[in-house]
Amino acid sequence: MEFNFDEVKDRRGGHRAKWDHMEEACGVSPEDGIAMWVADMDFDAAPCILGALHADIASGFLGYFGNFGPVTEAVCDWMREMHGWPVEPGWVRYTHGVVAGFGMVLEAFSEPGDSVILFTPVYHAFFRKAAAMGRKVLQSELVLRDGRYEMDLEALATQLTGREKIAVLCSPHNPGGRLWTADEIAALDAFCAEHGLILCSDEIHMDLTFPGVAHLPTAVAAPASLPRLVTITAASKGFNIAGGETGFAIIPDDALRARFDRAHAKLGGTPNRFGMLMTKAAFTGGHEWSEAVRGYIAANFELWRARIGAIPGVRVMDMQATYLSWVDFRGTGMSGDESLERIRLAGIGVNRGEVFGQGGAGWHRFNIAMPRTRLIEAIERLEEAFADLQ
Ligand SMILES: Cc1ncc(COP(=O)(O)O)c(C=O)c1O
């Protein structure tokens, strides 16, 4: 089947955060601005997902969701076929999105005042959730080696205070889009074992790997991690259905799952009907769409990297997954504020680097999941904005 990712649609004014909040968050008007911030793609969802929603709405009944079995079967099939992880149905718990699942992990495995380890720069909502729940964040800054991020566990060992309870791996990594190797994941797990930490693996970007490379679930890379591992993930990023606010936790260990369940009982609830239906549809019929969208994003990235990376002083981090491109403007000699202001004046809404924690200053994150003509327009605006450096 052919999917038309080239079609440009006007997304403004329809309760869509990426456009309707852009002015407030980025100072860029949706009138003529290009939204490259919130992690939604500009593409329509897969036909199988839209079909499932249409059918449900046509039935006229919009009440509580029930009968989780077929959704869980779809989740388990997808995890096994696509990610090589034979997940058992009894290990799966549904959450109102992945950040809510992270909150449950904090509730289950730490107390207010305890610390959670984040490898920064990393997805900003982890900081917000930890702060909201009275947890401290210990930032372990990723080290740039040969243009890619690596964890520095030796340095981390010297930072520990004794209050750390949880380490969070963002895999694939946001921002930066790298896949961690089995050795790196196993080393992190050994670190967690040594220091008595729960390992929380956020794999929400698992279905956005580029052609030719594969996501490696932490459970598969490091089977020894199972007694301390909670994986939180969703169909939402890979299938562009984040508005359904539905994620799931996979917890193979019985004792860990019992602790998570107590937090779930406190903070969770019946899942979102549409989110569950979309998850089932994505994981049963979305194979072709998923492959097509990854190919489109990878081609967007090649174009983006070639042109933006050619601006003197600007470096685009190489990526193997996600559609969130992490761009280093420090070589221009500008501060993060200065480069951001140029980007803003060019009418492009992005996420400023500092919000991703230590190591983010001077960088900015660009969402490149958009029709190619629009991406080219964004590239041209940025080339123009930094033309004096040419
Ligand atoms: C690593 C990571 N985790 C979680 C989320 C958000 O998850 P949710 O919207 O399901 O809470 C995002 C969104 O971009 C993300 O990048």
Side-chain angles (χ1 to χ4, degrees), residues 39 96-100 123 126 170 174 202 204-205 236-237 242 245:
H96 291 135
V98 170
V99 175
Y123 177 52
F126 293 141
C170 186
N174 165 22
D202 178 333
I204 195 171
H205 295 280
S236 60
K237 287 296 136 186
E245 288 290 354

Side-chain angles (χ1 to χ4, degrees), residues 37-40 95-102 122-126 168-175 202-205 232-234 236-237 241-248 322-324 356 365:
W37 63 305
V38 172
D40 279 325
T95 60
H96 291 135
V98 170
V99 175
F102 174 60
V122 75
Y123 177 52
H124 39 80
F126 293 141
V168 181
L169 179 68
C170 186
S171 172
H173 189 71
N174 165 22
D202 178 333
E203 304 187 12
I204 195 171
H205 295 280
I232 49 176
T233 187
S236 60
K237 287 296 136 186
I241 51 173
E245 288 290 354
T246 298
F248 49 94
T322 85
Y323 47 74
L324 303 166
F356 297 87
R365 194 191 76 173

Side-chain angles (χ1 to χ4, degrees), residues 94-119:
Y94 295 97
T95 60
H96 291 135
V98 170
V99 175
F102 174 60
M104 291 177 196
V105 171
L106 294 178
E107 172 73 20
F109 304 108
S110 66
E111 299 287 332
D114 285 344
S115 283
V116 52
I117 298 167
L118 298 181
F119 295 95

